[in-house]
């Protein structure tokens, strides 16, 4: 597939794909008879995996290290597994911290909700106290014009 098609399928720009290729994050594409890049469909899975690493906060240097190990073949399986395990641990710690932050946000939101309800109840109580039970609300006299 051409770079434009790959860009459309992955959501990356052609510029980003060329950059990833230049720094070694994705393998160089072969060229077709016109000299344009021709990507194999297997690069879609690899770019998808890189996107997940990026989303989980892996620095580009970590992704490059993983890509280098991957290119070196099965002899690097253990090191790749260790690299991913360390990253997974960092992601789990980040998720735990985000969970704590969500709990704090939930408490704050709940506090505002209760405060708004208390304010509404106080306004309703105040209105009720202004009226004398059993008597209709006092009507104001119509504007009287005096000559």
């Amino acid at each position: 597939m051409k770079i434009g098609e790959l860009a459309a399928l992955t959501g990356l720009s052609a510029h980003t794909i060329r950059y990833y290729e230049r720094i070694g994050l994705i393998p160089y594409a072969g060229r077709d008879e016109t000299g344009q890049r021709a990507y194999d469909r297997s690069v879609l899975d690899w770019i998808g995996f890189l996107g997940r690493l990026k989303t989980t906060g892996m620095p580009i240097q970590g992704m490059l290290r993983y890509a280098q190990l991957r290119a070196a073949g099965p002899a690097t399986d253990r090191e790749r597994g260790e690299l991913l395990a360390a990253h997974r641990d960092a992601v789990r710690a980040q998720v735990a911290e985000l969970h704590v932050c969500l709990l704090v946000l939930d408490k704050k939101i709940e506090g505002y909700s209760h405060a708004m309800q208390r304010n509404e109840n106080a306004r309703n109580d105040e209105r009720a106290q202004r009226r004398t039970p059993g008597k209709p609300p006092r009507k104001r006299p119509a504007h009287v014009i005096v000559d």
Side-chain angles (χ1 to χ4, degrees), residues 27-95:
Y28 279 102
R31 302 288 177 149
D32 66 10
E33 60 280 350
T34 64
Q36 293 183 329
R37 287 174 172 83
Y39 292 93
D40 184 84
R41 293 198 80 69
S42 65
V43 77
L44 288 171
D45 290 337
W46 175 240
I47 289 175
F49 181 67
L50 290 174
R52 296 206 186 281
L53 292 178
K54 182 178 180 181
T55 298
T56 57
M58 181 178 272
I60 198 153
Q61 290 302 322
M63 289 189 276
L64 283 169
R65 180 68 184 139
Y66 187 86
Q68 291 165 349
L69 292 170
R70 179 178 179 255
T76 64
D77 283 354
R78 193 185 78 178
E79 194 173 351
R80 282 185 277 167
E82 290 170 353
L83 191 147
L84 292 179
H87 181 63
R88 178 195 59 207
D89 293 345
V91 170
R92 282 185 174 153
Q94 184 180 15
V95 167

